[in-house]
Amino acid sequence: MKLILLGPPGAGKGTQAERIAERYSIAHISTGDMLRAEIKAETPLGVEAKSLIDRGELVPDEIIIGMVKNRIGMPDCENGFLLDGFPRTIAQAESLMGFTGIDRAVCIEVPDESIVGRMSKRRVCPNCKRTYTVDVLEPDEDGGYTCLDCGTKLIARDDDRPETVQHRLNVYAEQTFPLIDFFEARELLSRVDGDKSMDEVADSIFELFE
Ligand code: AP5
Ligand code: MG
C-alpha cells in the first residue's frame, strides 16, 4: 500500500500516520521528522533547513525530492509506505508520480481556527519524538511536562509560535492546497473530517480501506 497524507500544519498527519503505519505494517515517512533529525545532527542540510523551518518556509524541492526518493528505495518500504508531509508542492507531486505509483492520497481537513489552538498545545519529546497534546498530560511542579514513555522534559516546536503557525498556514494555502485538485483529477483523493477526536479521525481513515 502506497499512501499520501495531505492536510494543513497541525491537521493530525503525524498522529494518524503512526496508527495507519502500524495497522498496515508500512513505513511512515515524515519529511518534517527527517529534516528535524538533520537539524539535530547538525549536518549541512540541517543547518540550511533550520532557518527555513523556523520561519515556516518550505525547504527547496530538489533537496526534499532527493531525500524522499532515496528513502522510498530502502528495504522497509517494500511492503508499502505512508508519506506524511510530502508532497507539498506541485513540483514535488509531479516528481513523485514519476518515480513511484500511489494508491491513495488522504486529505485530513481541519479549519484554521482549530489548528492555531492545537499547535499552542502541542509538546514533543526531544528524545523519543513522541507527540502530545497538553490536554492529556498532568503538569509538573514547574508547569512543564514530562514524556510518559521516556521521562524526558517535553518541549514546544520552534515553528509552533503563533506568528509562525499563521505563516505556515499561508504557505499551505498557496503552495500545498493545489495538490488537492492535483490528486482529485487523478481520482486518487479521499477527504476525511479531521476536526473530530483522534479516534474518530482514525476510524474514518480506516473505513476508506475496508
Ligand atoms: P512538518 O513536520 O511536516 O509539519 P506540518 O506539515 O506543518 O505539520 P505538523 O507536523 O505541524 O502537524 P501534523 O499534521 O503532523 O499534526 P500532529 O499529528 O503533530 O514540516 C515542518 C517543516 O519542515 C515545514 O514547515 C517545512 O519547512 C519543512 N518541510 C517538511 N516537509 C517538507 C516538504 N515536503 N517540502 C518542503 N519543506 C518541507 O498534531 C498536531 C497537534 O494536534 C498535536 O499536539 C496532536 O497531539 C494534536 N492533535 C492531533 N490530532 C488531533 C485531534 N483529532 N484533535 C485534537 N488534537 C489533535
Ligand atoms: Mg507532523
Side-chain angles (χ1 to χ4, degrees):
M1 186 151 43
K2 297 176 177 178
L3 304 177
I4 294 172
L5 267 192
L6 289 173
K13 300 183 295 297
T15 302
Q16 299 301 332
E18 284 189 9
R19 298 173 181 218
I20 299 166
E22 192 185 337
R23 185 162 178 134
Y24 299 113
S25 301
I26 54 177
H28 171 197
I29 302 175
S30 158
T31 44
D33 287 350
M34 290 168 82
L35 292 168
R36 283 183 288 275
E38 298 279 343
I39 293 173
K40 195 171 180 197
E42 296 180 1
T43 64
L45 165 56
V47 172
E48 183 182 348
K50 182 167 172 39
S51 67
L52 293 165
I53 292 177
D54 286 353
R55 281 184 280 129
E57 299 289 345
L58 295 184
V59 172
D61 286 335
E62 54 280 14
I63 293 177
I64 293 286
I65 290 167
M67 216 172 73
V68 172
K69 196 171 180 184
N70 184 41
R71 180 67 187 84
I72 283 177
M74 290 185 182
D76 66 328
C77 293
E78 275 170 17
N79 189 38
F81 53 80
L82 171 61
L83 293 168
D84 157 10
F86 180 93
R88 252 181 161 91
T89 62
I90 294 285
Q92 291 179 16
E94 284 175 340
S95 178
L96 175 72
M97 302 302 271
F99 60 77
T100 182
I102 287 294
D103 297 313
R104 190 127 297 272
V106 179
C107 182
I108 305 178
E109 297 180 313
V110 179
D112 288 5
E113 310 83 78
S114 303
I115 285 170
V116 176
R118 278 187 194 184
M119 302 303 231
S120 66
K121 293 195 273 184
R122 173 163 57 185
R123 296 294 181 279
V124 292
C125 177
N127 178 44
C128 74
K129 310 291 171 226
R130 184 166 169 192
T131 295
Y132 295 88
T133 174
V134 296
D135 291 343
V136 303
L137 297 168
E138 285 293 329
D140 303 331
E141 280 175 5
D142 62 1
Y145 300 92
T146 298
C147 180
L148 301 176
D149 284 343
C150 72
T152 306
K153 207 79 181 157
L154 302 181
I155 55 171
R157 262 170 53 175
D158 285 338
D159 58 348
D160 279 348
R161 291 184 301 267
E163 62 280 15
T164 312
V165 170
Q166 188 51 58
H167 186 63
R168 287 163 65 199
L169 288 169
N170 296 343
V171 170
Y172 174 82
E174 281 164 26
Q175 302 201 48
T176 309
F177 187 75
L179 294 183
I180 292 174
D181 281 349
F182 179 96
F183 288 110
E184 195 149 57
R186 286 158 183 76
E187 296 185 357
L188 290 172
L189 188 81
S190 299
R191 299 164 193 263
V192 297
D193 180 359
D195 203 14
K196 294 187 172 166
S197 75
M198 294 181 201
D199 288 343
E200 287 172 310
V201 179
D203 286 345
S204 331
I205 295 174
F206 295 145
E207 271 171 24
L208 298 172
F209 304 114
E210 278 152 25

